[in-house]
């Protein structure tokens, strides 16, 4: 076993993200020297393919993003999509970002069922093909009607019914789509038998059409859950429809605004009513189990009876087909039909990541019968018959346990289907803070606590008020009971929604994200070794998520911060060493790894992290809206509420690759987050000088603080959002006034005026450098802004910071009058050496970048890069207890920044 200590694999993740960025840095000279940019070939077509392969399947459609080089496509450019055979595919296009010159930077594209037949496509300038079934949207005072050409949905603008009806042809397949919330007012750990349950129903406050075709329509519905005079738990639901599709998608978000000591969620669900028109023996229940397994039953089963209705009849029922007239059956069955039970109620509950159960009963008041079970259910079901039926599914069903599917009343005139995002059979959702403060009433006491458990505690700050969670659901209006093959395809579409994606080569060629990445390159042994190490580290974290069960409604998508070598367990219960909450930017590591590789497994891991960190780790209501919470035992526990966690830099890749509107909302909400510095001073506990937040003199750091603000402003500006002009002005004014500081970025902090958007110029030079300043998106933002905004002084200030962070203390003092003190994370910062070397064409700096990368404080080439079984006690699953070599806190971010970095002369040290 290696002697390298197993500490903080999480911080190693930070280095991997950074290494991915500098594919071009030392070999190509600048972010603007992206292959294809500004050349005649820059407007060449883009290749687009399915992320997992297999085509569209049973999904209603796919939406994807494509980047374009600066200055190539004007804002009014249209695009056409064709298959490899030259067949035209209808596509809807809109702009998601523009370059400062107004040319297209990112475009989003939507395709529907007409794109189902091909594996790869070409997107190029041209007139898009017309859809066979054009989607239409009709608005009246209280309703919005969406017609895909196959189904018609009526959405309410008020009341409790989000979706009044879903109709196929002349047949109503589902009605009364609504939201359900069960609240428990008390949580007595000794006895919950007397706990009071209350039911709240979703009440709509408004609905808006955000897109209306021709291929895709989007409707947003907002409101709160209400009972009597109380309304709480705000929701935002988006419904997605595609031309020609028989299904629609729902993206459902709740924001917690309750009292953690009183408002315990017992159940949270989406419910539809499904009319039952067919005879009981023609009513079919389908519930997906594990993999492609299904519970395949009828409400009134005629198989397995003592008397046989006939092989053809039995076969038809199992296949879901309409049965022949009972008069043609064996009459020994027909005359006794009334004695065969009808099973009206079914439940599948997934209370953990490792087990689900299925049970059924005839009707309320009678006992439940076990009907099977397994490990991990797909979260998909169907109820209906030959005259029509409803398929429904909840994505990440077992990953975000406890979840549940209910079918009720299928033997009556109408069945009721509920997809429980939080199962009412589970323990109530308990968001209370996990300890009583332990006497940490003053800042000195809290700092002492920080020094032992790494938790930054402060009374009243460990609150879930304002955190959110988004879930994805899908529904099909079927003309009849689907075939087994169709049901498997529908379940697969719920589990892994088909996603179109541009190739890594096209993503890199466009020069977006500052040009900080290039496709995976294994052309030399040294490059191949770095790629192998990066693959190793991603696989490690992916496997740890499974082994350690990093799952659950609030937890799925996050990773842990630091490992406990003695317990052979991550420090899930030790203060700031527990959940990571984006510490040192694993989000960026994953997204750059995907952008370079195009790997679907990395995309899905990054997608789950983006959904989690942007919702759960950030406040969306209250005084701290726009701030995120530092790492801790609970995602909201730590008292450090900062921009470095909420930063839009973590959300940008997913948004531009998918055009996801919810993530767009999250980034837009941050545009005014500079106001949060009035509400909360991020370094209030360690200030040595008197300071009171003032609108005209807010203390804001140039590292983790400003990079978060800059990311939100840049995104709003390039998206052309409602506050784009303000965002651009804020960007330019802060860039100008940072550059004008006596020591530029090294100054560390400045006094910011909320009204003017400018930093006051300090009268005296200062040195305020932290090893964390550049580890939360600052490098990414500076690279992008230098490429976008012609401001030489800002570029000079940033290059100086890059050059001197890893310089000797003597060199630092000679340049700034004072050295930077004791610093960490040199491997992570080697990317800054590389960036400056490329910009300045400095061979000596390039050499230092490699030295810091290979032989400083991170994942060096000398470590053992293989699996090492741990001997002795292991956590919960000894058979799976294998730890791979880890190191201290720096590695992944810097490793990713230089992973295919080429030295001047295009050679790498072996």
């Amino acid at each position: 076993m290696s002697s390298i200590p197993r500490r903080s694999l999480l911080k190693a993740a930070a280095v991997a993200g950074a290494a991915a960025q500098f594919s071009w840095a030392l070999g190509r000279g600048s972010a603007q020297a992206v292959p294809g940019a500004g050349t005649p070939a820059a407007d060449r077509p883009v290749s687009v393919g399915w992320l997992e392969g297999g085509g569209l399947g049973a999904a209603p459609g796919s939406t994807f993003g494509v980047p374009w080089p600066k200055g190539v496509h004007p804002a009014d450019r249209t695009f056409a999509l064709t298959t490899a055979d030259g067949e035209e595919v209808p596509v809807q296009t809109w702009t998601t970002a523009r370059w400062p010159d107004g040319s297209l930077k990112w475009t989003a594209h939507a395709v529907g069922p007409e794109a189902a037949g091909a594996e790869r496509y070409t997107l190029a300038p041209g007139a898009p093909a017309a859809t066979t079934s054009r989607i239409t949207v009709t608005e009246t005072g209280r309703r919005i009607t969406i017609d895909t050409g196959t189904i018609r949905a009526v959405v309410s603008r008020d009341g409790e019914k989000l979706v009044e009806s879903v109709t196929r042809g002349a047949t109503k397949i589902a009605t009364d789509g609504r939201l359900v919330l069960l609240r428990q007012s008390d949580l007595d750990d000794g006895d919950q038998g007397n706990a009071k349950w209350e039911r709240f129903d979703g009440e709509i406050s408004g609905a808006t059409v955000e897109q209306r075709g021709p291929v895709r329509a989007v409707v947003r519905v907002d409101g709160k859950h209400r009972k009597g005079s109380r309304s709480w738990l705000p929701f935002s639901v988006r419904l997605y429809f595609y031309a020609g599709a028989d299904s629609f998608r729902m993206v459902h978000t709740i924001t917690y605004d309750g009292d953690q000591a009183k408002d315990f969620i017992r159940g949270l669900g989406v419910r539809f009513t499904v009319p039952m028109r067919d005879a009981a023996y023609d009513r079919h229940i389908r519930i997906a189990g594990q993999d492609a397994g299904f519970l395949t039953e009828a409400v009134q089963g005629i198989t397995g009876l003592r008397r046989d209705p006939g092989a053809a009849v039995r076969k038809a029922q199992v296949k879901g087909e309409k049965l022949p007239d009972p008069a043609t059956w064996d009459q020994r069955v027909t005359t006794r039909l009334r004695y065969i039970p009808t099973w009206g109620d079914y439940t599948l509950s997934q209370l953990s990541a490792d087990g689900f159960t299925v049970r059924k009963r005839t009707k309320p008041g009678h006992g439940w019968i076990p009907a099977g079970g397994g490990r991990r259910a797909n979260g998909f079901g169907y109820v209906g018959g030959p005259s029509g039926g409803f398929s429904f599914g909840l994505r990440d069903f077992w990953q975000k346990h406890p979840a549940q599917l209910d079918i009720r009343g299928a033997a009556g005139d109408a069945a009721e289907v509920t997809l429980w995002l939080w199962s009412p059979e589970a323990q109530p959702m308990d968001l209370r803070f996990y300890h009583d403060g332990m006497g940490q009433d003053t800042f000195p006491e809290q700092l002492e606590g920080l020094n032992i458990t790494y938790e930054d505690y402060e009374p009243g700050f460990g609150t879930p008020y304002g955190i959110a969670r988004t879930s994805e659901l899908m529904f099909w209006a079927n003309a009849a009971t689907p075939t087994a093959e169709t049901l498997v395809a529908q379940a697969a579409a719920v589990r892994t929604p088909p996603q179109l994606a541009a190739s890594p080569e096209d993503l890199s060629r466009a020069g977006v994200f500052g040009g900080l990445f290039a496709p995976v390159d294994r052309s030399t042994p040294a490059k191949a070794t770095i790629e192998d190490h990066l693959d190793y580290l991603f696989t490690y974290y992916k496997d740890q998520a499974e082994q350690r069960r990093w799952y659950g409604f609030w937890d799925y998508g996050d990773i842990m911060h630091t490992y406990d070598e003695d317990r052979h367990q991550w420090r899930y219960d030790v203060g700031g060493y527990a959940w990571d909450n984006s510490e040192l930017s694993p989000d960026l590591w994953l997204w750059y790894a995907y952008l370079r590789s195009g790997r679907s497994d990395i995309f899905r891991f990054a997608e789950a992290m983006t959904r989690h960190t942007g919702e759960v780790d950030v406040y969306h209501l209250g005084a701290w809206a726009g701030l995120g919470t530092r790492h801790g035992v609970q995602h909201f526990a730590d008292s450090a509420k900062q921009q470095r966690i909420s930063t839009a830099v973590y959300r940008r890749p997913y948004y531009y690759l998918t055009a996801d509107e919810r993530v767009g909302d999250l980034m837009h909400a941050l545009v005014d987050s500079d106001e949060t510095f009035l509400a909360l001073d991020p370094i209030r506990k360690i200030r040595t000088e008197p300071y009171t937040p003032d609108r005209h003199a807010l203390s804001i750091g140039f590292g983790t603080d400003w990079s978060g603000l800059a990311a939100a402003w840049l995104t709003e500006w390039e998206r052309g959002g409602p506050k784009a002009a303000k965002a651009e002005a804020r960007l330019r004014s802060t860039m100008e006034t940072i550059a004008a500081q006596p020591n530029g970025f090294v100054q560390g902090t400045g006094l910011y005026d909320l009204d003017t958007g400018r930093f006051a110029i300090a009268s005296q030079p200062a040195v305020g450098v932290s090893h964390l300043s550049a580890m939360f998106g600052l490098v990414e933002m500076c690279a992008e802004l230098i490429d976008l905004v012609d401001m030489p002084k800002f570029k000079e200030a940033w290059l100086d910071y890059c050059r001197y962070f890893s310089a000797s203390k003597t060199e630092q003092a000679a340049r700034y009058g004072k050295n930077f003190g004791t610093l960490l994370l040199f491997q992570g910062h080697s990317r800054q050496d590389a960036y400056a070397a490329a910009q300045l064409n400095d061979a000596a700096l390039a050499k230092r970048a490699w030295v810091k990368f290979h032989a400083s404080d991170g994942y060096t080439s000398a470590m053992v890069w293989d699996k090492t079984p741990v001997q002795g006690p292991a956590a919960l699953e000894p058979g799976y207890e294998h730890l791979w070599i880890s190191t201290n806190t720096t590695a992944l971010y810097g490793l990713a920044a230089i992973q295919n970095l080429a030295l001047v002369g295009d050679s790498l040290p072996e």
Side-chain angles (χ1 to χ4, degrees):
M1 184 179 296
S2 168
S3 61
I4 297 175
R6 293 183 179 87
R7 297 193 303 267
S8 200
L9 272 161
L10 170 272
K11 294 185 182 177
V15 179
Q21 299 164 0
F22 288 165
S23 53
W24 53 269
L26 296 181
R28 295 175 183 156
S30 76
Q32 297 175 347
V34 177
T39 71
D43 62 349
R44 68 187 183 189
V46 167
S47 176
V48 181
W50 297 103
L51 194 59
E52 277 86 11
L56 184 62
S62 181
T63 299
F64 62 98
V66 171
W68 304 102
K70 189 188 309 179
V72 171
H73 294 298
D76 60 353
R77 176 79 80 202
T78 60
F79 293 91
L81 191 69
T82 56
T83 67
D85 297 330
E87 181 181 350
E88 294 184 336
V89 177
V91 62
Q92 178 176 323
T93 297
W94 62 101
T95 302
T96 48
R98 291 185 175 88
W99 295 98
D101 65 2
S103 63
L104 295 178
K105 185 176 185 181
W106 283 93
T107 51
H109 309 270
V111 296
E114 291 174 277
E119 287 292 329
R120 296 208 67 83
Y121 306 85
T122 297
L123 186 73
T131 59
T132 302
S133 299
R134 184 183 178 93
I135 200 166
T136 60
V137 179
T138 305
E139 297 185 70
T140 62
R142 297 189 60 188
R143 293 175 179 84
I144 301 168
T145 301
I146 305 95
D147 192 330
T148 72
T150 302
I151 64 172
R152 185 173 66 258
V154 179
V155 179
S156 299
R157 293 185 183 274
D158 57 19
E160 297 178 354
K161 299 176 183 178
L162 272 73
V163 182
E164 290 188 11
S165 62
V166 181
T167 305
R168 182 165 183 158
T171 305
K172 281 191 176 180
I173 302 297
T175 64
D176 301 347
R178 61 246 192 231
L179 305 184
V180 181
L181 167 66
L182 302 178
R183 172 188 173 270
Q184 185 168 312
S185 58
D186 180 57
L187 188 59
D188 184 339
D189 294 335
D191 179 14
Q192 295 184 36
N194 296 321
K196 181 182 178 182
W197 289 27
E198 291 181 293
R199 172 177 160 174
F200 289 73
D201 296 297
E203 183 177 59
I204 299 167
S205 60
T208 305
V209 177
E210 294 184 330
Q211 276 192 336
R212 53 179 68 245
V215 173
R216 187 179 90 145
V218 182
V219 178
R220 174 174 172 168
V221 183
D222 293 282
K224 292 185 177 182
H225 296 80
R226 179 185 180 90
K227 179 190 177 185
S229 61
R230 185 184 182 190
S231 293
W232 74 297
L233 202 68
F235 64 82
S236 179
V237 169
R238 279 188 171 90
L239 302 169
Y240 294 83
F241 301 86
Y242 290 81
D246 62 357
S247 58
F248 62 97
R249 176 173 173 253
M250 175 187 289
V251 175
H252 169 286
T253 301
I254 54 102
T255 304
Y256 187 83
D257 66 341
D259 182 336
Q260 61 178 296
K262 298 178 181 178
D263 291 316
F264 303 101
I265 293 176
R266 186 73 200 215
L268 179 68
V270 178
R271 179 171 290 167
F272 279 86
T273 298
V274 182
M276 295 279 99
R277 291 169 291 273
D278 302 291
Y281 50 74
D282 274 332
R283 299 180 183 183
H284 305 123
I285 305 295
R286 304 289 187 263
I287 299 177
Q290 195 165 313
D291 301 322
F294 273 81
L295 179 78
T296 302
E297 297 198 352
V299 169
Q300 188 178 42
I302 49 80
T303 64
L305 300 173
R306 187 176 185 186
R307 307 303 179 197
D308 184 2
V313 178
R314 288 186 281 108
K315 183 178 180 180
Q317 188 176 68
V318 172
K319 291 177 68 175
E321 299 172 350
K322 183 175 177 60
L323 302 191
D325 188 329
T328 66
W329 305 0
D330 185 318
Q331 291 303 293
R332 290 176 298 173
V333 176
T334 303
T335 58
R336 297 181 174 95
L337 271 175
R338 64 185 182 278
Y339 300 118
I340 301 173
T342 54
W343 300 91
D345 297 350
Y346 287 77
T347 286
L348 183 152
S349 58
Q350 179 93 46
L351 303 186
S352 76
D354 294 302
F356 70 87
T357 59
V358 183
R359 66 186 192 275
K360 65 181 185 179
R361 68 181 179 184
T362 55
K363 58 184 176 181
H366 297 272
W368 289 95
I369 305 299
R375 190 174 178 219
R376 291 170 171 173
N378 278 288
F380 172 84
Y382 165 85
V383 61
S387 67
F390 198 51
S391 298
F392 46 92
L394 171 60
R395 188 182 180 191
D396 298 327
F397 187 76
W398 61 265
Q399 293 94 329
K400 291 167 70 175
H401 65 80
Q404 183 169 315
L405 300 180
D406 283 350
I407 298 172
R408 297 287 186 269
D413 294 336
E416 197 173 71
V417 167
T418 308
L419 298 91
W420 292 103
L421 316 181
W422 187 279
S423 166
E425 295 182 7
Q427 290 293 309
M429 185 187 295
D430 188 355
L431 296 177
R432 292 174 295 183
F433 189 70
Y434 78 103
H435 68 69
D436 64 3
M438 299 176 290
Q440 299 176 69
D441 299 321
T442 66
F443 284 177
E445 290 169 325
Q446 292 157 25
L447 292 173
E448 284 298 295
L450 180 67
N451 280 326
I452 187 63
T453 66
Y454 203 27
E455 178 175 72
D456 198 351
Y457 172 80
E458 192 169 342
F461 278 66
T463 175
Y465 185 92
I467 68 172
R469 196 51 159 146
T470 289
S471 304
E472 300 178 47
L473 307 93
M474 201 171 292
F475 305 93
W476 283 261
N478 304 284
T481 298
T483 65
E485 293 76 14
T486 298
L487 287 166
V488 168
Q490 290 178 347
V494 171
R495 184 174 59 251
T496 309
Q499 179 65 54
L500 282 170
S503 68
E505 291 74 20
D506 285 316
L507 292 169
S508 175
R509 180 172 59 89
V512 292
F513 302 131
L516 294 182
F517 67 95
V520 168
D521 182 359
R522 296 179 179 271
S523 61
T524 70
K527 291 179 180 181
T529 297
I530 294 176
E531 300 294 352
D532 290 344
H533 291 174
L534 287 162
D535 289 348
Y536 167 96
L537 291 167
F538 170 72
T539 303
Y540 176 81
Y541 273 98
K542 184 176 69 171
D543 288 351
Q544 283 295 289
E546 169 61 14
Q547 179 184 338
R548 308 297 181 167
R549 301 304 190 267
W550 292 339
Y551 302 125
F553 182 82
W554 290 109
D555 296 334
Y556 178 57
D558 206 352
I559 59 178
M560 282 281 168
H561 186 289
T562 304
Y563 195 75
D564 186 334
E565 300 169 32
D566 298 312
R567 287 187 289 172
H568 299 310
Q569 174 63 285
W570 291 83
R571 303 184 200 179
Y572 71 96
D573 57 351
V574 184
Y577 293 111
W579 288 115
D580 181 55
N581 286 30
S582 294
E583 177 68 5
L584 295 180
S585 304
D587 319 59
L588 290 175
W589 159 47
L590 292 169
W591 280 121
Y592 279 105
Y594 167 73
L595 292 167
R596 300 182 61 251
S597 68
R599 284 176 50 178
S600 61
D601 56 348
I602 297 176
F603 180 95
R604 297 304 182 185
F605 203 91
E607 178 182 39
M609 183 172 287
T610 300
R611 282 281 189 227
H612 169 91
T613 58
E615 302 277 9
V616 181
D617 300 344
V618 176
Y619 289 106
H620 310 274
L621 294 173
W624 302 329
L627 296 178
T629 299
R630 175 183 176 271
H631 39 103
V633 172
Q634 292 165 295
H635 297 286
F636 51 84
D638 202 272
S639 72
K641 315 295 185 183
Q642 296 182 3
Q643 289 278 332
R644 76 188 208 190
I645 305 303
S646 60
T647 175
V649 76
Y650 298 150
R651 328 291 170 221
R652 286 161 55 81
Y654 184 66
Y655 172 76
Y656 287 125
L657 291 167
T658 66
D660 183 85
E661 280 82 3
R662 173 57 186 169
V663 172
D665 291 345
L666 298 178
M667 295 190 297
H668 171 70
L670 297 172
V671 174
D672 294 324
S673 58
D674 50 358
E675 299 275 351
T676 62
F677 288 87
L678 275 175
L680 193 66
D681 174 19
I683 59 171
R684 59 196 176 280
K685 295 185 181 181
I686 58 174
R687 287 198 182 275
T688 58
E689 301 293 332
Y691 169 73
T692 301
D694 181 272
R695 185 173 188 85
H696 301 293
L698 285 176
S699 178
I700 294 180
F702 298 156
T704 57
D705 295 339
W706 179 78
S707 64
L709 295 171
W713 293 334
L714 171 58
T715 307
E716 183 77 358
W717 174 28
E718 65 185 9
R719 288 178 67 194
K723 298 181 179 180
K726 172 185 175 180
E728 179 188 0
R730 287 285 196 264
L731 266 179
R732 293 181 181 276
S733 61
T734 53
M735 289 171 66
E736 177 188 335
T737 49
I738 289 173
Q741 300 297 328
N743 279 343
F745 274 97
V746 173
Q747 193 81 16
T749 189
L751 295 177
Y752 175 77
D753 190 318
L754 274 171
D755 292 340
T756 65
R758 299 176 66 84
F759 286 105
I761 308 304
S763 59
Q764 297 294 326
V767 171
V769 175
S770 166
H771 61 280
L772 295 179
S773 294
M775 303 302 284
F776 291 82
L778 183 64
V779 173
E780 291 73 18
M781 283 300 98
C782 287
E784 287 209 52
L785 292 170
I786 286 170
D787 185 38
L788 295 173
V789 179
D790 184 16
M791 194 177 290
K793 291 293 185 181
F794 179 85
K795 180 178 180 179
E796 178 183 340
W798 176 240
L799 290 178
D800 269 4
Y801 186 89
C802 293
R803 292 165 58 198
Y804 283 96
F805 182 93
S806 297
S808 69
K809 291 186 176 182
T810 300
E811 291 172 314
Q812 293 167 351
R815 169 65 178 85
Y816 291 103
K818 180 182 177 183
N819 69 54
F820 295 176
T822 301
L823 296 173
L824 304 171
L825 309 183
F826 289 105
Q827 187 180 50
H829 283 83
S830 63
R831 63 202 175 118
Q832 287 154 262
D833 289 332
Y835 179 84
Q839 294 286 332
L840 300 170
N841 196 24
D842 187 329
L845 198 54
K847 182 177 180 179
R848 189 177 79 187
W850 278 112
V851 170
K852 294 295 184 182
F853 174 66
H854 277 301
S856 59
D857 58 0
Y859 275 11
T860 68
S861 56
M863 68 176 279
V864 179
W865 290 87
D866 63 10
K867 235 180 351 184
T868 304
V870 169
Q871 305 299 320
L876 296 182
E877 291 193 44
Y880 293 90
E881 184 68 17
H882 296 284
L883 292 179
W884 295 356
I885 296 305
S886 62
T887 180
N888 69 8
T889 62
T890 69
L892 286 172
Y893 206 27
L895 183 57
I898 306 189
Q899 54 195 312
N900 70 338
L901 168 139
L903 280 175
V904 174
D906 197 30
S907 63
L908 297 176
E910 293 295 339

